[in-house]
Amino acid sequence: MTEVVICVGSSCHIKGARRVVEGLTKLVKESGMSELVKLSGSFCMGRCEEHGVSVKVDGEIHFVDPDHVEEFFRDVIMGSWK
Ligand code: FES
């Protein structure tokens, strides 16, 4: 099970956290990965200055552009199983 925690603090909210949440939720569902990926939200991760929304994948933090959620899902989340 891959744990994905999306920051929904105010700074990430402004950067499009909602689109990241919605995009990942959809991609996980569409790819039939609901059993393998656990999505949750978190308050500020202390990395507001970074470009992109803070998202932790199994404890490792990434900064996600809401326009590139699909690439993030494919390369980082699915990539973590290789
Ligand atoms: S609000 Fe997301 S890292 Fe601060």
Side-chain angles (χ1 to χ4, degrees):
M1 169 76 77
T2 299
E3 278 213 60
V4 179
V5 185
I6 302 145
C7 179
V8 292
S10 48
S11 176
C12 287
H13 177 74
I14 290 164
K15 287 184 260 177
R18 191 197 181 103
R19 283 166 60 211
V20 175
V21 171
E22 288 172 354
L24 288 180
T25 304
K26 184 167 163 264
L27 288 161
V28 167
K29 205 170 155 195
E30 280 175 3
S31 55
M33 302 290 182
S34 309
E35 301 288 302
L36 295 170
V37 181
K38 180 171 175 264
L39 294 175
S40 59
S42 139
F43 292 117
C44 179
M45 296 180 181
R47 303 294 295 273
C48 307
E49 75 284 2
E50 304 284 350
H51 291 286
V53 175
S54 301
V55 180
K56 271 186 196 163
V57 179
D58 285 337
E60 193 185 326
I61 197 157
H62 299 264
F63 306 102
V64 182
D65 178 342
D67 290 331
H68 295 102
V69 174
E70 213 161 326
E71 286 94 323
F72 174 73
F73 178 72
R74 188 188 58 219
D75 297 344
V76 179
I77 299 181
M78 292 184 80
S80 73
W81 301 326
K82 280 185 206 130

